Amino acid sequence: MALREETFELEKDPAPLVVLDFMVAAWGVFGHIQDIQHLYSPELLEKIIKALWAIKINRGPDMLPLHDYRIVVVSDKRFEKFGSYWRGVEINRDERMEIVWEEYCEGKGTDVSTVATGYKGNRRDKDDNFYQIVEIGWEYATKYFPCYKEEGYEADDWAGAIYRYSRDSRKTCHDRQILLSTIDRDWSQLVDESHKVFWANTRYPGPKEKIQERLAGEDQVLLHTQMKLGVDIESPRFLAHAKQEQGDLGDNLPPGSPLEYFDLCEPHPKYKIEKLKEYDDLVVNLDDPSSNVHHEHLEKSRLALGKIGLSIPWL
């Protein structure tokens, strides 16, 4: 049977909307240069990074053909005061989380005082080279594409707001294909084929993995949930409920953590993207039917990297 991405028909009017998870894209660029960066001067390396970003963003989801997409870039930004996102701030104040962690550690026979209980408290630090890639990429992205990040919010929150607008609006966004370009499985709870919303996985599956599709519809989200969590859900919308029951240690959320820390479909009442001043601009871009891909940037970058003998990723 053919994979979904092999038979998927991209629409032209309106242009399909690609919601690009910026930090995930940054890891993709980093992964391509981390083993070769020592070979180049700082000046040439910066040019290589810029070229990779031009290809990465303008390419669109690389399991699909090159196309005239409309691309919106979303990213994370921690509170400067707290060094965390809103979930981290609320979790630190949430008495329910104290109980959840105590029960979890008791079940594991672990002293809770020895465990990092903060939101994403088990994530590794990033090195200076990664931050250089982020800086160069954000400069390019903000120059040529609509980009959104706000202190305290994660890219997940922007993706959830985009889904809600597609679902509830009756304007252009309601009728256009939406491709969620990320490796983050949390976004897959937003998959909704009735609103043409698909999860475009940036990860390549191994040859022996049961799920080979990278463009996920509802059936693939349900299958992955059954395989990964061992539970059957009625629709992707209920992935948050399944993760609440079983926890998500990738985000350092043990079983029984409150639903609002998992749910992207319905926002926390205190932290609604819809309340931010940038939301009106976001809506304008979501309803713009035109493409904003810069094919000339992609082609120029492809040729430049080819001249110095670098393989061209994502094409």
Side-chain angles (χ1 to χ4, degrees):
M1 181 181 295
L3 302 179
R4 176 178 276 104
E5 52 262 39
E6 295 172 343
T7 60
F8 191 76
E9 294 186 11
L10 289 163
E11 297 175 353
K12 295 182 178 180
D13 187 18
L17 179 73
V18 174
V19 184
L20 180 73
D21 187 338
F22 177 80
M23 294 302 287
V24 167
W27 281 113
V29 174
F30 180 71
H32 196 72
I33 63 101
Q34 62 178 329
D35 294 330
I36 61 172
Q37 55 190 334
H38 64 283
L39 301 174
Y40 303 100
S41 68
E43 295 77 15
L44 181 54
L45 181 62
E46 182 174 340
K47 292 179 180 179
I48 291 171
I49 293 171
K50 287 181 179 178
L52 288 170
W53 270 113
I55 295 172
K56 183 66 174 175
I57 297 179
N58 289 288
R59 170 63 181 86
D62 64 359
M63 77 291 297
L64 294 171
L66 289 166
H67 192 71
D68 289 326
Y69 298 105
R70 182 158 194 84
I71 296 172
V72 169
V73 180
V74 296
S75 192
D76 312 321
K77 187 176 182 180
R78 299 173 186 269
F79 283 117
E80 290 187 15
K81 180 179 179 180
F82 302 108
S84 184
Y85 307 109
W86 71 260
R87 289 175 180 82
V89 172
E90 292 300 319
I91 285 170
N92 287 339
R93 299 169 176 169
D94 194 335
E95 294 181 356
R96 296 172 298 175
M97 289 300 299
E98 295 181 17
I99 297 172
V100 166
W101 272 113
E102 288 171 359
E103 291 178 348
Y104 177 76
C105 290
E106 183 179 350
K108 295 291 184 179
T110 303
D111 184 348
V112 69
S113 66
T114 67
V115 176
T117 58
Y119 180 60
K120 299 190 175 181
N122 54 358
R123 297 289 179 93
R124 66 184 176 91
D125 292 333
K126 305 173 180 68
D127 62 24
D128 291 341
N129 291 332
F130 179 79
Y131 286 111
Q132 179 193 22
I133 289 170
V134 169
E135 183 177 344
I136 292 172
W138 193 249
E139 180 181 0
Y140 175 79
T142 54
K143 185 174 182 179
Y144 294 107
F145 298 94
C147 297
Y148 302 94
K149 65 177 177 180
E150 178 67 22
E151 191 177 38
Y153 292 86
E154 299 176 74
D156 307 42
D157 300 309
W158 291 100
I162 291 169
Y163 166 69
R164 290 191 296 276
Y165 184 71
S166 167
R167 179 192 67 193
D168 301 336
S169 167
R170 292 300 178 265
K171 297 184 179 180
T172 301
C173 188
H174 182 73
D175 297 317
R176 77 188 320 165
Q177 291 173 330
I178 299 179
L179 308 173
L180 305 173
S181 181
T182 184
I183 199 173
D184 190 343
R185 283 271 175 188
D186 289 339
W187 289 32
S188 68
Q189 67 184 270
L190 305 173
V191 170
D192 185 342
E193 293 185 43
S194 68
H195 294 291
K196 305 180 186 178
V197 182
F198 297 86
W199 186 68
N201 188 3
T202 60
R203 176 181 173 271
Y204 293 85
K208 295 184 179 180
E209 292 185 33
K210 183 174 182 179
I211 297 178
Q212 291 293 311
E213 282 185 327
R214 295 177 60 211
L215 185 66
E218 295 179 19
D219 56 344
Q220 199 254 36
V221 177
L222 270 56
L223 175 60
H224 184 270
T225 304
Q226 202 283 327
M227 291 173 54
K228 185 72 173 180
L229 301 181
V231 297
D232 295 315
I233 56 175
E234 296 179 16
S235 76
R237 169 70 183 83
F238 294 102
L239 174 59
H241 297 75
K243 296 188 83 169
Q244 178 193 24
E245 182 176 339
Q246 300 205 11
D248 184 350
L249 295 186
D251 284 340
N252 217 31
L253 293 170
S257 299
L259 181 64
E260 58 259 36
Y261 301 136
F262 301 93
D263 194 357
L264 302 183
C265 296
E266 302 302 335
H268 189 291
K270 281 180 62 177
Y271 300 99
K272 295 182 68 173
I273 292 289
E274 290 87 342
K275 294 180 179 179
L276 300 179
K277 62 180 185 299
E278 295 88 351
Y279 182 71
D280 289 344
D281 183 76
L282 173 65
V283 165
V284 169
N285 277 291
L286 298 180
D287 283 329
D288 188 331
S290 65
S291 168
N292 60 359
V293 167
H294 295 271
H295 293 289
E296 71 280 8
H297 292 189
L298 188 153
E299 182 61 15
K300 181 179 179 180
S301 298
R302 184 187 68 81
L303 292 173
L305 294 180
K307 285 181 180 179
I308 60 174
L310 282 181
S311 61
I312 312 300
W314 315 305
L315 293 177

